[in-house]
Amino acid sequence: MHHTPLTYYKDLSKISLSSKDFTKGLILPRYLSENLAYVCGTLAGDGNIHIRKKKHDYTLKCVGNPNDEIPFYQTLLIPLFQKVFNFKPRVGYKDKGTTFGFVI
């Protein structure tokens, strides 16, 4: 598979990971790939990022309809997420049981 460098980042070394990130084994991709594009597309459709700058609080949430999307999250998205970021989010019911997915 051909990988394209992430040239729109001026310097990836300026993106700092927290000590928790290192403990979890999180990595940031250095190249565009089909897997990264798929994860980003899913996040664009089913996810959101919430930032509270004053509290240094960043939340990534991705959820879908539990009636038909549980297999998608369990068998496709989470394994792809692990391949791309070397991190496996815990999935489950969210929003009082009305959605299924993960919150990081």
XYZ file of all heavy atoms in Angstrom:
843
model
N 0.839 -1.178 0.000
C 0.000 0.000 0.000
C 0.882 1.239 0.000
O 1.835 1.337 0.751
C -0.898 -0.023 1.245
C -1.741 1.211 1.391
S -2.719 1.295 2.901
C -3.782 -0.105 2.688
N 0.564 2.186 -0.832
C 1.310 3.434 -0.930
C 0.877 4.369 0.197
O -0.304 4.532 0.461
C 1.058 4.074 -2.287
C 1.720 5.400 -2.437
N 3.079 5.525 -2.549
C 1.220 6.645 -2.472
C 3.377 6.814 -2.661
N 2.258 7.508 -2.621
N 1.828 4.990 0.856
C 1.537 5.949 1.913
C 2.004 7.326 1.468
O 3.079 7.468 0.905
C 2.263 5.585 3.205
C 1.824 4.281 3.776
N 0.660 4.149 4.479
C 2.370 3.052 3.725
C 0.524 2.895 4.854
N 1.553 2.216 4.408
N 1.199 8.319 1.731
C 1.539 9.697 1.403
C 1.911 10.419 2.685
O 1.173 10.348 3.663
C 0.318 10.404 0.761
O -0.090 9.636 -0.369
C 0.675 11.809 0.334
N 3.066 11.108 2.718
C 3.448 11.828 3.935
C 2.398 12.870 4.321
O 1.756 13.457 3.470
C 4.763 12.507 3.568
C 5.261 11.785 2.366
C 4.047 11.255 1.656
N 2.239 13.087 5.600
C 1.311 14.110 6.091
C 2.006 15.471 5.992
O 2.454 16.034 6.972
C 0.899 13.819 7.538
C 0.056 12.573 7.735
C -0.159 12.287 9.215
C -1.282 12.710 7.052
N 2.091 16.001 4.794
C 2.863 17.212 4.559
C 2.176 18.467 5.073
O 2.818 19.501 5.203
C 3.141 17.382 3.052
O 1.902 17.344 2.357
C 4.049 16.291 2.546
N 0.900 18.397 5.372
C 0.228 19.596 5.847
C 0.583 19.908 7.295
O 0.314 20.970 7.789
C -1.296 19.517 5.675
C -1.920 18.266 6.221
C -2.304 18.182 7.540
C -2.108 17.157 5.395
C -2.870 17.032 8.041
C -2.689 16.010 5.893
C -3.064 15.950 7.212
O -3.632 14.800 7.701
N 1.215 18.982 8.011
C 1.783 19.286 9.326
C 3.166 19.849 9.095
O 3.995 19.216 8.461
C 1.902 18.029 10.201
C 0.612 17.528 10.755
C 0.173 16.249 10.458
C -0.151 18.313 11.594
C -1.013 15.771 10.977
C -1.341 17.847 12.120
C -1.762 16.576 11.804
O -2.922 16.109 12.321
N 3.430 21.039 9.597
C 4.748 21.630 9.387
C 5.818 20.800 10.077
O 6.884 20.578 9.533
C 4.770 23.071 9.901
C 3.936 23.998 9.052
C 4.024 25.413 9.528
C 3.153 26.280 8.643
N 3.079 27.631 9.112
N 5.547 20.353 11.285
C 6.536 19.565 12.015
C 5.796 18.685 13.010
O 5.283 19.169 14.010
C 7.513 20.489 12.731
C 8.622 19.740 13.433
O 8.638 18.490 13.393
O 9.476 20.408 14.029
N 5.736 17.395 12.715
C 5.024 16.477 13.605
C 5.629 16.434 14.991
O 4.954 16.103 15.961
C 5.011 15.060 13.014
C 4.063 14.843 11.856
C 4.238 13.445 11.281
C 2.633 15.048 12.279
N 6.901 16.784 15.128
C 7.542 16.739 16.443
C 6.972 17.799 17.387
O 7.170 17.730 18.586
C 9.055 16.915 16.320
O 9.351 18.209 15.833
N 6.236 18.774 16.839
C 5.639 19.810 17.683
C 4.331 19.351 18.328
O 3.799 20.031 19.180
C 5.396 21.081 16.877
C 6.688 21.764 16.484
C 6.421 23.040 15.756
C 7.736 23.685 15.379
N 7.553 24.928 14.661
N 3.821 18.217 17.895
C 2.619 17.666 18.500
C 3.067 16.827 19.689
O 3.762 15.828 19.532
C 1.827 16.800 17.504
C 1.386 17.643 16.319
C 0.627 16.155 18.199
C 0.753 16.860 15.201
N 2.704 17.267 20.883
C 3.188 16.559 22.067
C 2.105 15.640 22.619
O 0.934 15.995 22.659
C 3.637 17.554 23.133
O 2.579 18.414 23.477
N 2.537 14.468 23.018
C 1.652 13.505 23.652
C 1.820 13.616 25.157
O 2.906 13.907 25.644
C 1.985 12.080 23.193
C 1.819 11.803 21.693
C 2.281 10.387 21.373
C 0.387 11.987 21.265
N 0.753 13.365 25.878
C 0.820 13.410 27.339
C 1.446 12.121 27.869
O 1.603 11.132 27.138
C -0.583 13.577 27.923
O -1.321 12.377 27.752
N 1.758 12.122 29.148
C 2.304 10.906 29.757
C 1.283 9.775 29.700
O 1.640 8.610 29.523
C 2.742 11.160 31.201
O 1.650 11.623 31.969
N -0.016 10.117 29.791
C -1.069 9.103 29.646
C -1.049 8.512 28.245
O -1.257 7.321 28.057
C -2.455 9.698 29.924
C -2.849 9.748 31.354
C -4.306 10.198 31.458
C -4.787 10.130 32.872
N -6.188 10.525 32.982
N -0.838 9.368 27.246
C -0.762 8.899 25.860
C 0.364 7.884 25.697
O 0.187 6.847 25.063
C -0.545 10.061 24.898
C -1.702 11.040 24.859
O -2.849 10.624 25.136
O -1.459 12.223 24.549
N 1.528 8.201 26.270
C 2.666 7.284 26.179
C 2.375 5.980 26.905
O 2.697 4.906 26.413
C 3.934 7.924 26.744
C 4.556 8.911 25.811
C 4.567 10.257 26.126
C 5.139 8.506 24.614
C 5.145 11.181 25.263
C 5.715 9.419 23.748
C 5.714 10.763 24.073
N 1.723 6.072 28.061
C 1.379 4.869 28.826
C 0.441 3.972 28.031
O 0.574 2.755 28.049
C 0.710 5.260 30.168
O 1.622 6.069 30.905
C 0.335 4.049 30.985
N -0.486 4.581 27.320
C -1.442 3.822 26.503
C -0.809 3.289 25.223
O -1.399 2.469 24.544
C -2.643 4.699 26.148
C -3.506 5.065 27.324
C -4.607 6.002 26.898
C -5.452 6.427 28.082
N -6.510 7.348 27.699
N 0.384 3.776 24.880
C 1.039 3.348 23.658
C 0.553 4.067 22.417
O 0.798 3.628 21.295
N -0.128 5.180 22.601
C -0.690 5.939 21.482
C 0.411 6.398 20.536
O 1.470 6.846 20.976
C -1.449 7.154 22.011
C -2.096 8.060 20.982
C -3.255 7.350 20.307
C -2.579 9.340 21.620
N 0.156 6.280 19.248
C 1.050 6.829 18.238
C 0.235 7.706 17.297
O -0.972 7.523 17.152
C 1.768 5.727 17.417
C 0.755 4.812 16.707
C 2.721 4.930 18.276
C 1.364 3.892 15.698
N 0.881 8.676 16.691
C 0.238 9.507 15.682
C 0.757 9.080 14.324
O 1.970 8.951 14.132
C 0.552 10.985 15.921
C 0.020 11.561 17.232
C 0.454 13.012 17.374
C -1.487 11.457 17.294
N -0.130 8.833 13.390
C 0.312 8.392 12.063
C 1.159 9.454 11.381
O 0.900 10.644 11.501
C -0.981 8.153 11.297
C -2.090 8.505 12.187
C -1.566 8.967 13.486
N 2.162 8.997 10.673
C 3.028 9.913 9.929
C 2.666 9.952 8.452
O 3.186 10.770 7.714
C 4.474 9.507 10.117
C 4.923 9.611 11.571
C 6.384 9.350 11.674
N 7.097 10.373 10.929
C 7.882 11.303 11.470
N 8.060 11.314 12.763
N 8.484 12.199 10.726
N 1.810 9.030 8.022
C 1.450 8.926 6.613
C -0.050 8.759 6.450
O -0.708 8.161 7.296
C 2.153 7.732 5.964
C 3.652 7.843 6.016
C 4.371 7.221 7.018
C 4.329 8.599 5.067
C 5.751 7.345 7.081
C 5.704 8.727 5.114
C 6.406 8.094 6.127
O 7.762 8.233 6.181
N -0.564 9.297 5.362
C -1.959 9.060 5.006
C -2.096 7.616 4.547
O -1.205 7.079 3.903
C -2.382 9.985 3.872
C -2.445 11.468 4.189
C -2.742 12.252 2.915
C -3.493 11.756 5.232
N -3.183 6.997 4.911
C -3.450 5.635 4.468
C -4.955 5.474 4.309
O -5.738 6.304 4.789
C -2.928 4.619 5.492
O -3.686 4.687 6.696
N -5.357 4.401 3.671
C -6.788 4.130 3.541
C -7.415 3.946 4.915
O -8.542 4.393 5.158
C -7.010 2.892 2.688
C -6.703 3.098 1.226
C -6.900 1.826 0.411
O -7.690 0.958 0.827
O -6.269 1.722 -0.652
N -6.705 3.282 5.818
C -7.235 3.058 7.171
C -7.436 4.380 7.906
O -8.469 4.597 8.542
C -6.308 2.149 7.972
C -6.331 0.727 7.499
O -7.253 0.298 6.798
N -5.315 -0.034 7.849
N -6.455 5.282 7.825
C -6.589 6.592 8.476
C -7.747 7.371 7.864
O -8.541 7.975 8.575
C -5.289 7.382 8.363
C -5.311 8.808 8.924
C -5.684 8.821 10.404
C -3.962 9.481 8.699
N -7.869 7.341 6.546
C -8.961 8.044 5.875
C -10.316 7.490 6.311
O -11.265 8.243 6.539
C -8.806 7.939 4.359
N -10.408 6.172 6.454
C -11.670 5.551 6.870
C -12.036 5.974 8.289
O -13.177 6.331 8.572
C -11.564 4.028 6.771
C -12.902 3.343 6.818
C -13.597 3.062 5.655
C -13.492 3.007 8.035
C -14.836 2.453 5.689
C -14.734 2.397 8.083
C -15.399 2.120 6.907
O -16.631 1.536 6.956
N -11.052 5.941 9.196
C -11.309 6.362 10.579
C -11.731 7.830 10.603
O -12.706 8.190 11.268
C -10.073 6.124 11.478
C -10.237 6.791 12.826
C -9.816 4.635 11.663
N -11.038 8.684 9.864
C -11.388 10.114 9.826
C -12.781 10.340 9.250
O -13.534 11.181 9.750
C -10.352 10.888 9.017
S -8.753 11.024 9.828
N -13.126 9.589 8.218
C -14.464 9.706 7.641
C -15.549 9.314 8.616
O -16.592 9.968 8.710
N -15.301 8.253 9.376
C -16.273 7.821 10.383
C -16.402 8.870 11.474
O -17.508 9.194 11.915
C -15.869 6.461 10.991
O -15.760 5.508 9.932
C -16.898 5.992 12.000
N -15.268 9.424 11.909
C -15.316 10.473 12.932
C -16.053 11.701 12.420
O -16.792 12.341 13.168
C -13.905 10.843 13.383
C -13.153 9.778 14.165
C -11.713 10.209 14.407
C -13.844 9.462 15.476
N -15.876 12.026 11.141
C -16.580 13.176 10.564
C -18.085 12.939 10.529
O -18.872 13.866 10.724
C -16.057 13.459 9.155
N -18.491 11.688 10.305
C -19.915 11.386 10.207
C -20.583 11.101 11.537
O -21.697 11.559 11.791
N -19.919 10.348 12.395
C -20.527 9.896 13.657
C -19.870 10.480 14.895
O -20.248 10.132 16.013
C -20.438 8.371 13.774
C -21.389 7.641 12.851
O -22.270 8.302 12.279
O -21.259 6.421 12.707
N -18.873 11.341 14.725
C -18.105 11.777 15.891
C -18.100 13.271 16.091
O -18.636 14.041 15.300
N -17.456 13.650 17.185
C -17.210 15.054 17.453
C -16.026 15.182 18.397
O -15.656 14.235 19.083
C -18.450 15.767 18.012
C -18.845 15.261 19.388
O -18.102 15.415 20.347
N -20.010 14.654 19.490
N -15.440 16.364 18.388
C -14.335 16.690 19.291
C -14.789 17.879 20.115
O -15.237 18.892 19.570
C -13.058 17.038 18.515
C -12.611 15.840 17.678
C -11.960 17.466 19.477
C -11.477 16.148 16.716
N -14.689 17.736 21.418
C -15.091 18.808 22.324
C -13.840 19.279 23.069
O -13.097 18.468 23.621
C -16.143 18.312 23.314
C -16.641 19.374 24.227
N -17.522 20.355 23.817
C -16.372 19.631 25.527
C -17.776 21.160 24.831
N -17.084 20.738 25.883
N -13.605 20.581 23.062
C -12.416 21.142 23.688
C -12.823 22.186 24.712
O -13.615 23.086 24.423
C -11.502 21.802 22.639
C -11.056 20.780 21.593
C -10.300 22.460 23.306
C -10.349 21.386 20.409
N -12.284 22.019 25.928
C -12.405 23.047 26.971
C -10.979 23.494 27.279
O -10.290 22.886 28.106
C -13.089 22.503 28.215
C -14.542 22.142 27.977
C -15.295 21.796 29.233
N -14.635 20.741 29.988
C -15.060 20.304 31.169
N -16.136 20.825 31.720
N -14.426 19.344 31.798
N -10.530 24.557 26.577
C -9.133 24.985 26.658
C -8.705 25.375 28.069
O -7.616 25.035 28.503
C -8.880 26.153 25.701
C -8.863 25.742 24.261
C -8.517 26.901 23.369
C -8.534 26.463 21.922
N -8.156 27.555 21.028
N -9.551 26.095 28.777
C -9.171 26.552 30.116
C -8.918 25.385 31.076
O -8.140 25.498 31.998
C -10.234 27.489 30.686
C -10.283 28.813 29.986
C -11.306 29.736 30.604
C -11.318 31.060 29.850
N -12.307 31.984 30.393
N -9.594 24.272 30.847
C -9.425 23.097 31.717
C -8.488 22.061 31.100
O -8.279 21.004 31.665
C -10.780 22.468 31.998
C -11.690 23.381 32.781
C -12.880 22.643 33.313
C -13.696 23.599 34.150
N -14.306 22.968 35.273
N -7.954 22.363 29.911
C -7.087 21.417 29.186
C -7.784 20.074 29.034
O -7.200 19.022 29.257
C -5.729 21.262 29.880
C -5.002 22.552 30.023
N -4.375 23.162 28.958
C -4.824 23.364 31.090
C -3.830 24.281 29.369
N -4.082 24.439 30.649
N -9.058 20.140 28.656
C -9.896 18.950 28.532
C -10.292 18.766 27.073
O -10.871 19.667 26.467
C -11.152 19.132 29.407
C -12.054 17.925 29.405
O -11.537 16.800 29.380
O -13.286 18.118 29.440
N -9.932 17.617 26.514
C -10.217 17.309 25.121
C -10.943 15.970 25.062
O -10.460 14.983 25.608
C -8.925 17.231 24.308
C -8.073 18.462 24.480
C -7.110 18.540 25.480
C -8.253 19.561 23.649
C -6.345 19.680 25.649
C -7.494 20.709 23.805
C -6.535 20.761 24.806
O -5.786 21.891 24.964
N -12.091 15.939 24.409
C -12.888 14.721 24.332
C -13.163 14.380 22.872
O -13.593 15.237 22.100
C -14.228 14.900 25.073
O -13.969 15.277 26.415
C -15.032 13.617 25.059
N -12.923 13.128 22.520
C -13.248 12.602 21.207
C -14.366 11.593 21.413
O -14.225 10.659 22.199
C -12.032 11.922 20.578
C -12.269 11.192 19.271
C -12.598 12.176 18.156
C -11.050 10.373 18.908
N -15.479 11.808 20.731
C -16.633 10.930 20.877
C -17.067 10.438 19.505
O -17.137 11.220 18.558
C -17.779 11.685 21.545
C -19.041 10.877 21.758
C -20.093 11.725 22.471
C -21.360 10.972 22.719
N -22.360 11.792 23.409
N -17.338 9.155 19.414
C -17.825 8.579 18.161
C -18.867 7.531 18.516
O -18.550 6.528 19.177
C -16.681 7.967 17.377
S -17.142 7.484 15.709
N -20.104 7.772 18.131
C -21.200 6.872 18.490
C -22.153 6.709 17.317
O -22.227 7.551 16.430
C -21.982 7.384 19.721
C -21.127 7.368 20.977
C -22.542 8.772 19.487
N -22.874 5.596 17.341
C -23.860 5.321 16.315
C -25.091 4.668 16.900
O -25.213 4.501 18.119
N -25.974 4.254 16.035
C -27.231 3.628 16.432
C -26.971 2.202 16.918
O -26.478 1.372 16.156
C -28.184 3.617 15.235
C -29.553 3.103 15.580
O -29.741 2.356 16.527
N -30.535 3.506 14.793
N -27.316 1.893 18.162
C -27.057 0.541 18.668
C -27.896 -0.539 17.994
O -27.555 -1.720 18.062
C -27.389 0.644 20.166
C -28.290 1.808 20.291
C -27.933 2.745 19.172
N -28.974 -0.162 17.331
C -29.821 -1.156 16.668
C -29.139 -1.819 15.478
O -29.456 -2.955 15.137
C -31.148 -0.533 16.222
C -31.989 -0.115 17.406
O -31.994 -0.765 18.441
N -32.690 0.997 17.265
N -28.207 -1.100 14.837
C -27.575 -1.701 13.655
C -26.080 -1.434 13.506
O -25.473 -1.905 12.558
C -28.302 -1.253 12.386
C -28.336 0.254 12.203
O -27.727 0.985 13.009
O -28.975 0.708 11.238
N -25.454 -0.701 14.440
C -24.048 -0.357 14.260
C -23.085 -1.017 15.240
O -21.874 -0.797 15.133
C -23.876 1.160 14.300
C -24.533 1.841 13.108
C -24.164 3.298 12.988
O -22.973 3.622 13.101
O -25.085 4.113 12.784
N -23.562 -1.816 16.170
C -22.658 -2.472 17.127
C -21.619 -3.330 16.407
O -20.421 -3.206 16.692
C -23.439 -3.271 18.185
C -24.194 -2.300 19.104
C -22.507 -4.163 19.001
C -25.117 -2.973 20.104
N -22.015 -4.186 15.448
C -20.989 -4.985 14.751
C -19.966 -4.122 14.011
O -18.785 -4.459 13.960
C -21.794 -5.835 13.770
C -23.167 -5.889 14.345
C -23.365 -4.564 15.028
N -20.402 -2.997 13.438
C -19.491 -2.089 12.749
C -18.406 -1.587 13.696
O -17.216 -1.605 13.371
C -20.270 -0.909 12.154
C -19.410 0.234 11.719
C -18.665 0.135 10.553
C -19.335 1.391 12.466
C -17.847 1.192 10.149
C -18.525 2.439 12.076
C -17.784 2.356 10.908
N -18.812 -1.148 14.881
C -17.844 -0.634 15.851
C -16.930 -1.751 16.354
O -15.709 -1.575 16.431
C -18.564 0.042 17.031
C -18.941 1.468 16.727
C -20.113 1.772 16.054
C -18.108 2.520 17.074
C -20.451 3.084 15.747
C -18.437 3.827 16.786
C -19.599 4.105 16.118
O -19.927 5.405 15.812
N -17.501 -2.893 16.697
C -16.723 -3.976 17.297
C -15.786 -4.667 16.314
O -14.668 -5.014 16.672
C -17.647 -5.006 17.938
C -18.366 -4.467 19.155
C -19.355 -5.465 19.738
O -19.905 -6.296 19.030
N -19.580 -5.361 21.035
N -16.231 -4.890 15.085
C -15.432 -5.704 14.165
C -14.666 -4.900 13.122
O -13.721 -5.427 12.544
C -16.309 -6.744 13.438
O -17.305 -6.068 12.668
C -16.977 -7.672 14.433
N -15.038 -3.651 12.886
C -14.351 -2.874 11.861
C -13.655 -1.632 12.427
O -12.439 -1.496 12.316
C -15.330 -2.463 10.756
C -14.716 -1.687 9.608
C -13.719 -2.547 8.844
C -15.787 -1.182 8.672
N -14.412 -0.731 13.049
C -13.842 0.552 13.440
C -12.791 0.415 14.542
O -11.714 1.001 14.438
C -14.937 1.528 13.868
C -14.434 2.935 14.171
C -13.781 3.564 12.936
C -15.560 3.811 14.674
N -13.067 -0.320 15.590
C -12.113 -0.426 16.693
C -10.818 -1.102 16.239
O -9.727 -0.603 16.546
C -12.743 -1.123 17.914
C -13.901 -0.266 18.462
C -11.710 -1.372 19.001
C -13.558 1.170 18.803
N -10.867 -2.215 15.479
C -9.604 -2.767 14.970
C -8.831 -1.792 14.073
O -7.603 -1.719 14.152
C -10.041 -4.011 14.198
C -11.313 -4.433 14.854
C -11.985 -3.134 15.217
N -9.535 -1.016 13.247
C -8.854 -0.013 12.419
C -8.234 1.076 13.283
O -7.112 1.520 13.037
C -9.829 0.629 11.432
C -10.089 -0.101 10.141
C -11.074 0.684 9.275
C -8.822 -0.377 9.377
N -8.959 1.516 14.292
C -8.466 2.533 15.217
C -7.178 2.039 15.872
O -6.204 2.778 16.011
C -9.547 2.832 16.270
C -9.425 4.182 16.906
C -10.145 5.256 16.412
C -8.614 4.380 18.003
C -10.049 6.501 16.994
C -8.505 5.623 18.593
C -9.218 6.690 18.091
N -7.164 0.772 16.247
C -5.973 0.196 16.881
C -4.806 0.130 15.894
O -3.669 0.421 16.263
C -6.284 -1.182 17.444
C -5.166 -1.730 18.303
C -5.593 -2.936 19.106
O -6.626 -3.540 18.839
N -4.803 -3.292 20.078
N -5.075 -0.216 14.641
C -4.015 -0.250 13.630
C -3.433 1.140 13.384
O -2.232 1.305 13.243
C -4.550 -0.788 12.298
C -4.672 -2.269 12.219
C -5.142 -2.661 10.827
C -5.440 -4.137 10.760
N -5.945 -4.524 9.432
N -4.296 2.133 13.312
C -3.868 3.487 12.961
C -3.169 4.184 14.124
O -2.142 4.829 13.949
C -5.073 4.328 12.466
C -4.697 5.793 12.306
C -5.611 3.763 11.157
N -3.726 4.053 15.345
C -3.227 4.810 16.499
C -2.587 3.951 17.582
O -2.162 4.479 18.612
C -4.368 5.622 17.123
C -4.954 6.640 16.187
C -6.193 6.432 15.605
C -4.273 7.800 15.876
C -6.743 7.364 14.747
C -4.805 8.738 15.015
C -6.051 8.524 14.444
N -2.549 2.639 17.387
C -2.013 1.719 18.381
C -2.738 1.874 19.726
O -2.143 1.785 20.797
C -0.507 1.918 18.577
C 0.133 0.754 19.308
O -0.173 -0.397 19.026
N 1.013 1.039 20.242
N -4.019 2.142 19.645
C -4.839 2.354 20.843
C -6.219 1.782 20.583
O -6.806 2.016 19.523
C -4.934 3.854 21.153
C -5.859 4.185 22.277
C -5.521 3.894 23.590
C -7.075 4.772 22.023
C -6.383 4.200 24.622
C -7.942 5.081 23.046
C -7.587 4.791 24.359
N -6.724 1.048 21.536
C -8.035 0.416 21.384
C -9.035 1.053 22.355
O -9.014 0.757 23.553
C -7.924 -1.084 21.653
C -9.197 -1.837 21.423
C -8.985 -3.321 21.643
C -10.271 -4.084 21.438
N -10.078 -5.520 21.675
N -9.906 1.916 21.850
C -10.919 2.520 22.730
C -11.909 1.458 23.224
O -12.198 0.493 22.517
C -11.645 3.525 21.829
C -10.853 3.636 20.591
C -10.013 2.410 20.486
N -12.400 1.657 24.416
C -13.445 0.773 24.949
C -14.783 1.228 24.389
O -15.154 2.390 24.529
C -13.483 0.843 26.468
C -12.310 0.169 27.106
C -12.522 0.088 28.604
N -11.225 0.303 29.230
C -11.026 0.867 30.389
N -12.054 1.291 31.093
N -9.822 1.013 30.869
N -15.488 0.287 23.794
C -16.799 0.618 23.242
C -17.897 0.149 24.185
O -17.706 -0.773 24.970
C -17.023 -0.003 21.843
C -16.115 0.623 20.824
C -16.864 -1.492 21.864
N -19.023 0.796 24.081
C -20.180 0.424 24.882
C -21.324 1.386 24.625
O -21.232 2.278 23.776
N -22.380 1.182 25.363
C -23.545 2.061 25.241
C -23.224 3.414 25.864
O -22.620 3.494 26.935
C -24.758 1.437 25.929
C -25.297 0.245 25.170
C -24.877 -1.038 25.480
C -26.213 0.420 24.136
C -25.359 -2.130 24.775
C -26.701 -0.668 23.429
C -26.268 -1.938 23.750
O -26.740 -3.005 23.045
N -23.634 4.461 25.198
C -23.424 5.834 25.655
C -24.759 6.570 25.616
O -25.742 6.067 25.085
C -22.408 6.563 24.742
C -21.093 5.833 24.564
C -20.332 5.755 25.866
C -19.042 4.976 25.676
N -18.471 4.535 26.911
N -24.757 7.777 26.153
C -25.922 8.663 26.100
C -27.177 7.981 26.627
O -28.203 7.892 25.938
C -26.142 9.175 24.671
C -24.907 9.891 24.123
O -24.370 10.751 24.828
O -24.482 9.560 22.988
N -27.062 7.438 27.839
C -28.183 6.759 28.510
C -28.705 5.581 27.695
O -29.904 5.315 27.652
C -29.285 7.731 28.847
C -28.844 8.837 29.792
C -29.961 9.796 30.130
C -29.442 10.882 31.038
N -30.435 11.863 31.356
N -27.790 4.886 26.992
C -28.161 3.683 26.252
C -28.747 3.931 24.879
O -29.148 2.998 24.198
N -28.764 5.196 24.433
C -29.373 5.487 23.140
C -28.383 5.393 21.973
O -28.799 5.387 20.817
C -30.002 6.901 23.135
O -28.982 7.867 23.390
C -31.098 7.007 24.191
N -27.077 5.344 22.287
C -26.048 5.233 21.253
C -25.046 4.177 21.674
O -25.001 3.749 22.830
C -25.333 6.569 21.013
O -24.669 6.974 22.221
C -26.294 7.654 20.558
N -24.201 3.766 20.712
C -23.142 2.796 20.988
C -21.864 3.301 20.334
O -21.877 3.725 19.177
C -23.504 1.422 20.412
C -22.510 0.361 20.773
C -22.641 -0.355 21.950
C -21.443 0.068 19.939
C -21.729 -1.335 22.294
C -20.522 -0.905 20.273
C -20.665 -1.611 21.461
N -20.766 3.267 21.074
C -19.493 3.717 20.524
C -18.483 3.940 21.615
O -18.436 3.197 22.600
N -17.679 4.986 21.465
C -16.632 5.250 22.456
C -16.481 6.745 22.707
O -16.840 7.581 21.884
C -15.291 4.645 22.021
C -14.738 5.180 20.733
C -13.946 6.325 20.717
C -14.997 4.545 19.534
C -13.433 6.806 19.531
C -14.477 5.019 18.346
C -13.692 6.167 18.348
N -15.937 7.042 23.887
C -15.593 8.402 24.282
C -14.190 8.335 24.851
O -13.905 7.527 25.735
C -16.567 8.969 25.339
C -16.140 10.360 25.777
C -17.991 8.989 24.818
N -13.306 9.174 24.320
C -11.926 9.225 24.799
C -11.682 10.612 25.357
O -11.956 11.597 24.697
C -10.922 8.938 23.658
C -11.205 7.587 23.019
C -9.500 9.029 24.148
C -10.446 7.339 21.744
